């Protein structure tokens, strides 16, 4: 499992610096807390929560996303050899000097090669706030991975099996919508979004700035399906209310609580307008069946 430095980070953690030193390859770090858990050995996998900052600006937080980042542990000698070949991995180096429960801040200077990335042009250091959460042997890691993969495959198969049921529901609603039979059922917001809430949900209310996971089946007004998450077997993940999706979704999903189900009838002004895209003609009204699967991490 490869991890690039720019994809790493974590939820904001509270640190009080107390000890400064360097990794075997020479990266500076501050140790904030000493854990009493297992010390990873070469070949083990160390799982981290990581906050990545560009200098003092937080970029990504894996804790916010509920993700523990696995890093394969190498020996101190291997770290030095990788450094000599200009192939160092700062996170692997951090694993060498930590044990379960440790928290550190690791500093990676941004060199000229890294500055070729426009996002790093004015950045001096990539700052990683790291907590070593768990250590697994390779056998344990492989077993965990296999179990997770099996669960995911079973979940994907169950969602894919629902496609005919969902399609039938959508087809029925489109016919009713076209005939005007839904006029007394549809509600309309001030922006022109029309919706029918089938089940409001009983969990957390969706709100701006929160991550959400949504299953959806999207069609044009004539019933042609242009995209759906059920066939892929995985929900669409995004942060609500920040422009990551079309305005009709930001507004419509916010009407639901976790577990809610609804139909959204999205006018072109809240979708793709007169631009459209390769699957959606310009000025198209879009109809979505949506299920709010999860709110938060």
């Amino acid at each position: 499992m490869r991890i690039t430095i720019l994809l790493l980070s974590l939820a904001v953690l509270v640190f009080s610096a107390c000890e400064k030193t360097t990794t075997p390859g020479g990266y500076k770090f501050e140790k904030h807390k000493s854990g009493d858990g297992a010390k990873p050995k070469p070949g083990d996998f160390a799982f981290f929560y990581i906050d990545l900052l560009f200098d003092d600006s937080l970029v990504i937080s894996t804790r916010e996303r509920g993700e523990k980042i696995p890093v394969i542990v190498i020996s101190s000698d291997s770290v030095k050899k990788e450094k000599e070949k200009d192939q160092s991995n700062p996170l692997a180096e951090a694993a060498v000097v930590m044990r379960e429960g440790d928290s550190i801040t690791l500093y990676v200077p941004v060199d000229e090669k890294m500055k070729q990335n426009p996002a790093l042009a004015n950045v001096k250091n990539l700052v990683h706030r790291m907590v070593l959460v768990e250590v697994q042997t390779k056998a344990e890691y492989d077993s965990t991975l296999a179990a997770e993969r099996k669960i995911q495959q079973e979940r994907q198969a169950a969602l894919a099996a629902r496609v005919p049921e969902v399609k039938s529901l959508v087809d029925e609603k489109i016919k009713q919508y076209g005939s005007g039979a839904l006029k007394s059922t549809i509600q309309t917001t001030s922006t022109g979004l029309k919706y029918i809430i089938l089940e409001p949900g009983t969990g957390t209310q969706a709100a701006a700035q929160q991550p959400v996971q949504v299953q959806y089946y999207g069609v044009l007004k004539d019933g042609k399906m242009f995209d759906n998450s059920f066939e892929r077997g995985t929900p669409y993940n995004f942060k609500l209310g920040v422009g990551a999706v079309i305005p009709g979704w930001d507004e419509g999903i916010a009407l639901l609580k976790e577990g809610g189900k609804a139909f959204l009838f999205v006018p072109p002004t809240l979708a793709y307008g007169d631009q459209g895209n390769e699957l959606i003609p310009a000025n198209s009204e879009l109809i979505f069946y949506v299920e709010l699967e999860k709110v938060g991490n």
Side-chain angles (χ1 to χ4, degrees):
M1 190 175 295
R2 296 187 178 181
I3 306 164
T4 61
I5 295 174
L6 293 179
L7 292 178
L8 299 175
S9 105
L10 325 143
V12 179
L13 308 173
V14 179
F15 289 89
S16 54
C18 57
E19 179 184 338
K20 292 185 178 181
T21 185
T22 60
T23 67
Y27 291 108
K28 293 181 180 179
F29 71 90
E30 298 173 359
K31 191 171 186 179
H32 306 284
K33 179 182 176 182
S34 295
D36 56 5
K39 175 74 175 174
K41 303 179 182 65
D44 288 348
F45 283 81
F47 289 79
F48 291 98
Y49 283 139
I50 306 169
D51 277 340
L52 174 66
L53 298 88
F54 289 176
D55 293 327
D56 56 358
S57 298
L58 181 66
V59 180
I60 308 172
S61 172
T62 66
R63 176 169 286 176
E64 279 187 358
R65 289 159 40 171
E67 296 179 10
K68 293 184 291 187
I69 302 300
V71 176
I72 190 166
V73 181
I74 59 179
S75 67
S76 296
D77 288 342
S78 294
V79 167
K80 294 174 183 177
K81 290 177 182 177
E82 294 297 307
K83 189 80 172 180
E84 291 171 0
K85 294 187 290 185
D86 196 27
Q87 295 178 345
S88 60
N89 182 337
L91 302 184
E93 293 195 26
V96 172
V97 297
M98 298 177 71
R99 67 190 314 136
E100 280 182 347
D102 282 2
S103 62
I104 70 169
T105 297
L106 177 73
Y107 299 90
V108 179
V110 177
D111 58 26
E112 291 305 312
K113 183 178 179 180
M114 295 164 68
K115 284 183 181 291
Q116 292 176 14
N117 184 325
L120 300 177
N122 298 311
V123 178
K124 294 181 180 178
N125 288 284
L126 299 180
V127 181
H128 300 77
R129 294 174 177 170
M130 310 175 64
V131 176
L132 180 47
V133 182
E134 181 182 4
V135 176
Q136 291 185 5
T137 64
K138 186 177 186 306
E140 290 171 335
Y141 177 72
D142 289 344
S143 177
T144 298
L145 211 58
E148 290 177 350
R149 188 178 297 115
K150 182 179 179 182
I151 291 171
Q152 182 63 20
Q153 289 171 343
E154 290 173 348
R155 184 170 182 273
Q156 288 175 338
L159 283 166
R162 290 188 57 200
V163 171
E165 163 209 340
V166 172
K167 181 181 184 303
S168 177
L169 176 63
V170 171
D171 288 346
E172 179 185 2
K173 277 292 184 289
I174 289 173
K175 288 179 182 178
Q176 293 173 336
Y177 184 53
S179 69
L182 297 179
K183 284 184 178 179
S184 62
T185 307
I186 287 178
Q187 300 183 67
T188 306
T189 70
S190 59
T191 65
L193 174 70
K194 291 181 282 189
Y195 65 94
I196 299 172
I197 294 180
L198 304 177
E199 297 178 24
T202 58
T204 303
Q205 177 70 50
Q209 304 296 321
Q210 288 183 312
V212 294
Q213 297 182 12
V214 178
Q215 300 287 358
Y216 68 93
Y217 192 99
V219 298
L220 302 176
K221 197 172 180 179
D222 64 4
K224 182 180 179 181
M225 190 274 291
F226 57 83
D227 192 19
N228 80 88
S229 64
F230 293 92
E231 286 183 351
R232 291 192 296 274
T234 184
Y236 186 65
N237 304 324
F238 66 98
K239 185 171 282 191
L240 190 63
V242 298
V245 291
I246 59 175
W249 263 46
D250 268 339
E251 184 177 3
I253 300 303
L255 299 171
L256 301 173
K257 293 180 180 179
E258 191 173 86
K261 301 176 182 180
F263 273 93
L264 304 178
F265 303 84
V266 184
T269 53
L270 299 178
Y272 296 96
D274 58 7
Q275 299 299 312
N277 61 35
E278 58 185 20
L279 296 175
I280 299 171
N283 298 309
S284 292
E285 179 179 25
L286 306 181
I287 301 171
F288 292 95
Y289 169 70
V290 296
E291 297 181 356
L292 179 53
E293 194 170 273
K294 188 174 181 182
V295 176
N297 295 311

